[in-house]
Amino acid sequence: MKECKKCRALLVEALYGELDSKEQDFFEKHLASCPACAAESEAMTETLKIMDERVRPERDQGFWNGYWDRLSRRMKEEEAVVEEKPRSWAKILGRSWSLRPRWALQAAAALALIAAGILIGRMIFAPRQLPVEASRPAVEAPPVQPGEGDPVLRARNYVDRSKLVLLALVNYDPTSDDPYALDLPLQKQISQQLVNQAGALKSDLKDPGQRRLRELVADLETILLQIANLEAKNDFEAVDIVKQGVESRGLLLKINLSEMGGDPSAAGRGAAVEKPPAQKTKI
Amino acid sequence: MTEEKELVERLSRGDTAAFRELVEAYKKKMYYLAFDMVGNAADAEDISQEVFLKAFRGFKTFKRGAKLSSWLYRIAYNASIDHLRHKSLIPEAAEDVVLDSGRGGFSETRSTADPALTAEIRLLRARVEKALANVSSQERTVFLLRHYNDLMLDEIAETMQISIGSVKSYLFRCIQKLRKELASPGTPSPPEVPDEGM
């Protein structure tokens, strides 16, 4: 039994003739004395004989004669490809990077991070670029020249500027601690400019629908002329007279009605002392 | 062995003539080993050429004192495995290959004028291929390397990077399985035909 086990361990080598002489002697002697092992060996030998029937398609001589030529051609083709490869920029850069010291790579990475941070920061926190028209201050708008543009718009502008001058005078209190709260020279200067524009403006407001606006401009022109003719220094008595004129003409009320689209001509009738509700006035 | 040493020396110097000698000496062995592994003639030529290209370019990796044939077999075995993995190929039915033999640059190795005998041989070959297909890949590879490519057991162990005990075990189990497969009803006995060489 022990010999049978040893025999079977040698069976594969025996089938292919790979036993040394000592093993071969043992194997042959055992088979001669053991019918089971002999039958096993015989069956496996027969199996291998059947397996010998397998054939691989033989290539003809032409195939083998041309083998070297085909191989040489392929070698040349692949060598050409290998020579082409290092020319690519990616390879060249990759090779040059691989030669850099480690600290250089780290520094480059840090710089790249900083640059990316700056770029992202600018994109997120930079002020929005407004359109040119929107960013231009309203005060920079060119002043409307007499005789230019829509006369109604020019009249509205005229009324607005006049209103500011009148309010400055009406709200002025000579008994206050600050005698220089009213900048009379400036008000005189503005008033003079407005008086200068009034003539052209009135002549442009010829349309019957613009009559009330034209009358308001004329009223303002009168009072503005008084202001322009005040003394250069703070002439508080004269200021009081102008204030009374503004009130008697109901100019501020007319201005307010004009702004609301009402009839400024009705404001002077029995409403001379009415003051604009939105303004803090002192008489 | 002396001739091989001399060849190795010349190859190590990049001698192209030596390389051609190597190719001429091993081209058929590499081709058929690859064919047995992948089961396709075109792929077998491609793989065998790849073996020589790798050998030529990577000759520095050849260890002096090692067997040149073992080194080449190992390259061929690995190239075949890579090829199968890459293409996820299952070797085409070998019986088709056998039936296609004699066309397109192939020649029949064994022929006979007796049509009945030819049919019997073809049937037997189909059974052989079927039996081979029914064993594990490791068993089949060991058997193909030993039985058809004449690699010694230790060479197979070196080629496949397994122990010689494993090689013997795989081979024994493979032959036993083939025996059972071929013993099933319908398997004709090998016909007695004159051997014209394979």
Side-chain angles (χ1 to χ4, degrees):
Chain A
M1 201 64 167
K2 191 179 174 183
E3 286 192 344
C4 289
K5 196 174 178 181
K6 187 180 176 183
C7 176
R8 284 175 185 247
L10 296 173
L11 194 51
V12 167
E13 287 159 290
L15 289 172
Y16 288 104
E18 290 194 39
L19 291 176
D20 60 31
S21 57
K22 192 179 172 184
E23 290 169 333
Q24 187 69 34
D25 284 345
F26 166 79
F27 187 76
E28 288 176 0
K29 283 179 183 173
H30 180 73
L31 289 188
S33 63
C34 180
C37 287
E40 179 77 10
S41 176
E42 180 65 23
M44 291 184 82
T45 304
E46 283 300 310
T47 299
L48 294 183
K49 277 185 184 173
I50 294 172
M51 294 308 293
D52 283 341
E53 289 302 314
R54 175 182 181 263
V55 290
R56 295 172 291 195
E58 189 75 21
R59 307 307 300 249
D60 56 29
Q61 198 54 42
F63 173 82
W64 295 119
N65 290 342
Y67 188 92
W68 171 254
D69 290 338
R70 292 193 298 277
L71 179 62
S72 301
R73 198 160 50 241
R74 183 173 167 181
M75 283 178 75
K76 284 174 186 170
E77 286 170 2
E78 293 193 3
E79 278 169 10
V81 172
V82 169
E83 283 173 6
E84 283 292 322
K85 277 183 180 175
R87 290 179 189 172
S88 72
W89 283 105
K91 289 267 183 185
I92 292 167
L93 287 172
R95 188 171 294 175
S96 61
W97 270 113
S98 66
L99 297 174
R100 299 271 176 244
R102 188 172 178 154
W103 64 265
L105 294 174
Q106 289 169 340
L111 283 173
L113 275 173
I114 291 166
I118 290 169
L119 192 65
I120 291 167
R122 282 191 169 189
M123 288 171 68
I124 293 172
F125 300 110
R128 283 182 61 199
Q129 292 289 327
L130 294 173
V132 175
E133 289 300 319
S135 61
R136 182 182 295 164
V139 292
E140 288 181 8
V144 177
Q145 297 300 318
E148 290 180 4
D150 184 357
V152 175
L153 289 177
R154 284 163 52 207
R156 299 278 180 214
N157 180 265
Y158 182 92
V159 170
D160 286 345
R161 295 178 69 193
S162 302
K163 183 181 174 183
L164 291 174
V165 174
L166 298 183
L167 286 173
L169 260 76
V170 168
N171 291 326
Y172 173 63
D173 182 5
T175 60
S176 68
D177 294 335
D178 184 5
Y180 300 98
L182 175 66
D183 188 355
L184 192 59
L186 177 64
Q187 302 303 329
K188 280 165 53 85
Q189 185 184 348
I190 295 170
S191 297
Q192 186 62 56
Q193 289 173 359
L194 290 168
V195 167
N196 293 342
Q197 293 172 17
L201 190 56
K202 283 189 290 183
S203 62
D204 290 343
L205 294 167
K206 292 173 183 173
D207 193 87
Q210 298 166 346
R211 180 180 59 84
R212 289 169 184 169
L213 199 54
R214 186 171 62 248
E215 289 174 358
L216 178 59
V217 170
D219 286 346
L220 287 170
E221 183 188 9
T222 304
I223 205 76
L224 288 169
L225 185 59
Q226 292 177 10
I227 298 169
N229 291 328
L230 291 171
E231 292 293 328
K233 293 183 180 178
N234 290 341
D235 185 353
F236 300 117
E237 288 182 7
V239 169
D240 270 341
I241 294 168
V242 173
K243 283 167 70 175
Q244 288 172 12
V246 171
E247 287 165 3
S248 64
R249 291 170 185 264
L251 280 177
L252 288 172
L253 183 60
K254 285 180 182 176
I255 290 169
N256 288 339
L257 286 171
S258 171
E259 287 172 350
M260 291 184 291
D263 183 4
S265 61
R269 295 190 289 269
V273 294
E274 192 175 347
K275 296 181 172 60
Q279 305 295 331
K280 178 188 174 186
T281 57
K282 288 181 182 176
I283 301 173
Chain B
M1 198 63 180
T2 312
E3 282 181 13
E4 184 169 312
K5 276 187 179 176
E6 193 185 326
L7 185 63
V8 167
E9 283 299 319
R10 288 167 61 203
L11 285 168
S12 62
R13 293 196 299 266
D15 186 340
T16 311
F19 179 61
R20 181 163 188 174
E21 284 178 35
L22 181 80
V23 171
E24 295 299 336
Y26 286 96
K27 63 185 179 187
K28 288 188 179 181
K29 289 176 180 176
M30 295 301 113
Y31 172 85
Y32 283 116
L33 187 145
F35 180 83
D36 284 341
M37 293 288 292
V38 301
N40 178 285
D43 290 341
E45 185 186 4
D46 191 51
I47 291 167
S48 66
Q49 287 186 351
E50 203 175 314
V51 171
F52 292 120
L53 291 172
K54 284 182 177 175
F56 185 69
R57 290 176 188 145
F59 198 76
K60 289 177 207 166
T61 62
F62 176 72
K63 291 176 183 172
R64 298 296 172 90
K67 233 175 145 181
L68 203 50
S69 60
S70 298
W71 185 60
L72 291 173
Y73 281 128
R74 170 130 193 87
I75 296 172
Y77 172 78
N78 286 336
S80 301
I81 295 291
D82 287 347
H83 178 85
L84 290 171
R85 280 179 185 155
H86 182 66
K87 283 190 143 183
S88 298
L89 280 177
I90 297 170
E92 67 185 61
E95 61 186 291
D96 294 340
V97 176
V98 173
L99 290 171
D100 284 343
S101 62
R103 289 181 290 176
F106 293 103
S107 60
E108 190 90 40
T109 51
R110 291 187 185 187
S111 60
T112 173
D114 186 345
L117 191 59
T118 303
E120 194 178 342
I121 289 170
R122 289 191 172 194
L123 182 62
L124 180 63
R125 288 173 182 170
R127 293 294 300 264
V128 165
E129 294 295 347
K130 189 183 172 190
L132 265 178
N134 287 337
V135 298
S136 77
S137 62
Q138 289 282 64
E139 291 165 355
R140 182 170 53 251
T141 302
V142 169
F143 183 78
L144 290 169
L145 292 177
R146 182 64 193 92
H147 198 75
Y148 300 111
N149 292 279
D150 295 325
L151 269 72
M152 303 291 280
L153 297 179
D154 58 346
E155 283 182 311
I156 296 170
E158 197 178 333
T159 299
M160 295 178 70
Q161 297 287 289
I162 55 177
S163 69
I164 192 163
S166 296
V167 172
K168 288 179 188 176
S169 178
Y170 282 134
L171 191 55
F172 183 82
R173 277 187 286 173
C174 183
I175 297 170
Q176 292 284 40
K177 285 182 184 176
L178 292 172
R179 179 183 160 192
K180 285 182 184 174
E181 283 284 332
L182 296 171
S184 59
T187 303
S189 300
E192 293 293 330
V193 290
D195 193 355
E196 295 171 4
M198 195 166 155

